[in-house]
Amino acid sequence: MSHDATQTPELVAFSKDIKALDLNPLWERTVSQQPGSACQAKLWSWADLKPQLMKACELIGTKLAERRVLMLENPTMRGSSFIANTLFTGLQIILPGEVAAAHRHTPNALRFVVEGKGAYTAVAGERAMMQPGDFLVTPNWSWHDHGNIGNEPVVWMDGLDSAFTKFFGATFREDYPEDVQPLYRSEGDSTAAFGSALLPVDYKAETHASPILRYPYERTCEALRHLYKSQPLHAAHGVKLRYANPADGKYPFPTMAAFMQFMPKGFDGKKYRSTENIVFNVAEGTGTVTIKGQSFAFGPHDIFVAPSWCEISFKTNEDCTIFSYSDRAAQDAMGFFRDEVL
Ligand SMILES: [Fe+2]
């Protein structure tokens, strides 16, 4: 039926009448049934981000701010706190001697360490020192606090699935009575128990999130480099690995997937698109990424977002190692995920 055929005077009058009852006729097809979203592709350069983080340090302390975080908001979603329909991205900076007080919340959180050494995160009674390039897991409703016991500022990217809890109306948070939670596990416990393709003999998963607190950068790079030398490159991704939950082989979170990819100098990747909303953070290297026909030159620590169903392709000037996270875990669970190399 053509659109005009649904716009007879009788039908137009009918549509108008039923609005008073909060009803709307489906046959007018006002809602898009296409993949993709209204979000824009965008790159935030480290050259712009770092000075603003340092400025924030002059203006506000962690006592007042609780978390000194600059949120990266999609230009189409100002005021939402989200970088895409389904994802939150923040950049957090913590100065020597500062503590980000313990709390917990229903959103899951990931950290990707950008710059600086000497900061720790403590999650569910275990502390891990954070090194640049590390990927860290804060499962839903786990107590967590951060501190800097080194002598330089430390910056990391926070990725949260708070858009999901907001969507469901299921956002809860709670402060711990002390700034710093008590530690009842030794540093490295979760790595020893779960990080070597081994599991404690009677282990039963208590949450949907990975029991590994820290996935170290050097181990991830070692795996990528080995595979680069031994296997052909993927036409779009180079060598791309996903971080796994060792308990079930799935994703580190029920909602979010996380990845690291290596693309050698001179890589000229094919176009790829998927239903994922993806946030990238460049660990090392320079190049150009083209998202939905828009090209962005990138360098270390730049952050960019590729919304759902946007074509994305990479060209590299140097060897590049790039972290990313997306909503693929949720989409896989719901059977929505689709992708293609073009
Ligand atoms: Fe938090």
Side-chain angles (χ1 to χ4, degrees):
M1 190 181 282
S2 76
H3 183 70
D4 283 343
T6 67
Q7 296 295 297
T8 62
E10 293 80 7
L11 280 167
V12 169
F14 175 72
S15 296
K16 203 176 154 198
D17 287 349
I18 64 173
K19 282 199 171 48
L21 298 171
D22 294 316
L23 295 170
N24 212 14
L26 175 68
W27 56 83
E28 289 190 355
R29 301 279 179 215
T30 52
V31 176
S32 163
Q33 292 191 303
Q34 303 290 322
S37 78
C39 285
Q40 282 176 21
K42 182 175 165 75
L43 178 142
W44 287 260
S45 78
W46 183 238
D48 288 337
L49 293 165
K50 179 73 188 286
Q52 301 306 335
L53 287 167
M54 296 313 296
K55 179 86 179 171
C57 290
E58 290 169 21
L59 296 173
I60 193 163
T62 49
K63 270 277 179 227
L64 184 59
E66 191 191 353
R67 298 289 190 266
R68 194 193 288 107
V69 172
L70 298 181
M71 301 184 291
L72 286 74
E73 282 187 339
N74 197 281
T76 63
M77 299 178 73
R78 294 227 167 92
S80 69
S81 82
F82 302 131
I83 196 166
N85 285 353
T86 51
L87 298 173
F88 170 100
T89 302
L91 265 188
Q92 183 158 177
I93 184 163
I94 187 163
L95 297 176
E98 285 186 331
V99 165
H103 69 195
R104 64 180 177 178
H105 35 69
T106 42
N108 292 281
L110 65 82
R111 327 277 167 207
F112 178 69
V113 185
V114 172
E115 187 181 84
K117 289 182 180 172
Y120 66 83
T121 186
V123 178
E126 182 176 338
R127 186 179 276 193
M129 295 306 292
M130 298 196 269
Q131 307 289 335
D134 287 355
F135 162 64
L136 296 114
V137 171
T138 304
N140 145 296
W141 208 239
S142 308
W143 294 114
H144 55 283
D145 52 273
H146 319 295
N148 186 340
I149 52 175
N151 49 26
E152 60 189 26
V154 177
V155 178
W156 64 83
M157 181 174 75
D158 290 315
L160 274 78
D161 59 5
S162 42
F164 287 85
T165 57
K166 185 181 178 195
F167 181 71
F168 290 118
T171 306
F172 293 85
R173 79 177 294 289
E174 213 173 76
D175 287 321
Y176 194 76
E178 313 288 331
D179 279 357
V180 177
Q181 68 179 298
L183 301 175
Y184 52 89
R185 294 191 178 102
S186 302
E187 191 169 338
D189 271 11
S190 74
T191 307
F194 303 101
S196 308
L198 297 164
L199 293 174
V201 63
D202 292 319
Y203 177 69
K204 284 189 181 65
E206 289 167 12
T207 72
H208 297 291
S210 171
I212 297 179
L213 172 53
R214 171 177 172 253
Y215 294 74
Y217 185 53
E218 64 270 17
R219 281 186 61 180
T220 309
C221 285
E222 201 181 302
L224 289 168
R225 292 281 179 164
H226 179 98
L227 295 171
Y228 167 57
K229 285 179 192 148
S230 66
Q231 295 186 7
L233 293 171
H234 183 281
H237 305 313
V239 185
K240 188 169 183 177
L241 295 173
R242 66 175 174 87
Y243 293 92
N245 179 341
D248 58 12
K250 293 184 178 173
Y251 300 99
F253 303 99
T255 44
M256 296 184 290
F259 313 89
M260 192 76 91
Q261 69 193 103
F262 174 80
M263 293 170 285
K265 179 182 176 178
F267 181 73
D268 186 359
K270 282 196 169 181
K271 286 180 186 167
Y272 170 83
R273 68 179 174 184
S274 78
T275 51
E276 288 161 285
N277 295 279
I278 317 174
V279 175
F280 295 86
N281 191 312
V282 180
E284 294 181 67
T286 60
T288 302
V289 61
T290 303
I291 309 171
K292 212 178 178 179
Q294 228 184 319
S295 290
F296 305 92
F298 67 77
H301 313 325
D302 290 350
I303 297 173
F304 48 92
V305 60
S308 174
W309 215 238
C310 288
E311 291 174 8
I312 177 165
S313 60
F314 289 96
K315 280 186 185 175
T316 60
N317 306 325
E318 301 172 307
D319 285 358
C320 288
T321 308
I322 303 182
F323 173 84
S324 56
Y325 73 101
S326 80
D327 52 19
R328 184 168 173 168
Q331 292 203 36
D332 258 0
M334 294 185 279
F336 298 156
F337 180 76
R338 290 193 193 193
D339 70 340
E340 59 188 12
V341 177
L342 297 155

